[in-house]
Amino acid sequence: MAEQRGDERGTGDARKGERGAGEPRRRSARPEEARAWEDLVATARRTVSDGLVVGTSGNVSVRVGETVLVTPSGVPYDRLTPDDVTGVGLDGRQVLGTLVPTSELPMHLAVYRTTGALAVVHTHAVHATAVSTLVSELPLIHYMAAALGGPVRVAPYATYGTDELAENMLRALADRSGCLLQNHGTVTYGTTLAQAYDRTAQLEWMCRLWLTAASVPGLTPSLLSGEQLTEVEERLRGYGQRG
């Protein structure tokens, strides 16, 4: 896990992002940002408890107006407090907190700049990462692919934290709300943290399902057709409670 090791090497410095000479003073978190931070930390901790990440790998962000709150680099999620709010503008300039933002900040900002996302979840989920090493697109093993906009693509590998990775991810996310990152993990987004997290969990489940079915000797999993998936997409538009 190169990304995790890189973050852990920076753990000692993560809390040393003090304001330098001539650097603008960072403001205090507004009430809505403080509430969003609580939800972000809870979601980040859930990625660990649900086995989607190990240690400080993976990251979570949420957009509040023109500010993106994001998990900091190299700090275990169970140690984050209300005073650790970390936020940047859409230009990447840090406006909240003194902790260094996640090394995957370019990827998060790329999603916010090009989609209507209000929350992003990135994990190193085991089954999803395994699938990312085997195929260029997750086979249509289940109709829940429709909830992510269609067949889930795999973004070509690039070093973590780079603009190249962010660009590869955006191409894989075209008309989708989730993708796999080759030899790396997952990225999903939504209009809420709950929705982004649910999409991550669904993606990991579909990957586990395909790996399980494909591992049976002498048998090949049946897959859905594009027409069948389109029918599900139509039905999902009316799914859930109205009111």
Side-chain angles (χ1 to χ4, degrees):
M1 287 188 183
E3 177 186 343
Q4 184 181 350
R5 289 197 299 269
D7 277 353
E8 288 177 345
R9 283 196 300 268
T11 300
D13 295 327
R15 294 181 178 273
K16 296 180 181 178
E18 300 297 338
R19 186 168 60 95
E23 185 178 337
R25 183 180 299 277
R26 292 163 188 161
R27 62 178 174 79
S28 300
R30 302 182 178 105
E32 62 271 23
E33 293 168 337
R35 290 190 295 269
W37 177 254
E38 291 181 7
D39 292 340
L40 180 148
V41 171
T43 300
R45 289 173 178 169
R46 188 178 176 189
T47 65
V48 177
S49 63
D50 287 355
L52 298 177
V53 303
V54 176
T56 60
S57 64
N59 24 78
V60 179
S61 67
V62 62
R63 180 174 177 174
V64 182
E66 297 302 300
T67 301
V68 175
L69 306 181
V70 64
T71 48
S73 175
V75 181
Y77 301 141
D78 60 357
R79 297 183 190 174
L80 292 175
T81 73
D83 294 330
D84 292 327
V85 178
T86 304
V88 302
L90 292 174
D91 59 0
R93 182 177 61 86
Q94 189 160 357
V95 296
L96 287 172
T98 59
L99 298 183
V100 177
T102 173
S103 57
E104 294 291 14
L105 186 60
M107 196 163 61
H108 287 259
L109 293 179
V111 175
Y112 291 117
R113 289 168 183 159
T114 58
T115 74
L118 294 177
V120 176
V121 175
H122 165 51
T123 78
H124 291 177
V126 172
H127 299 91
T129 304
V131 169
S132 80
T133 71
L134 298 171
V135 295
S136 59
E137 182 177 279
L138 174 63
L140 281 175
I141 191 71
H142 197 274
Y143 64 78
M144 280 308 292
L148 295 175
V152 179
R153 307 183 187 102
V154 179
Y157 180 81
T159 304
Y160 79 92
T162 62
D163 290 335
E164 182 184 3
L165 176 59
E167 291 167 3
N168 291 350
M169 173 205 66
L170 285 180
R171 284 192 290 270
L173 280 177
D175 301 316
R176 303 288 189 271
S177 56
C179 73
L180 300 176
L181 306 175
Q182 189 177 55
N183 295 84
H184 189 151
T186 69
V187 173
T188 60
Y189 69 84
T191 56
T192 65
L193 279 166
Q195 185 182 61
Y197 187 88
D198 182 67
R199 287 171 172 169
T200 296
Q202 290 285 356
L203 179 52
E204 167 68 354
W205 179 83
M206 285 191 292
C207 289
R208 182 178 182 182
L209 175 62
W210 180 70
L211 287 172
T212 301
S215 69
V216 179
L219 295 176
T220 301
S222 63
L223 301 176
L224 300 178
S225 67
E227 291 75 15
Q228 288 171 320
L229 195 68
T230 297
E231 182 180 355
V232 173
E233 290 173 343
E234 294 292 334
R235 292 179 67 85
L236 284 177
R237 291 191 180 98
Y239 180 77
Q241 301 297 316
R242 298 174 179 81

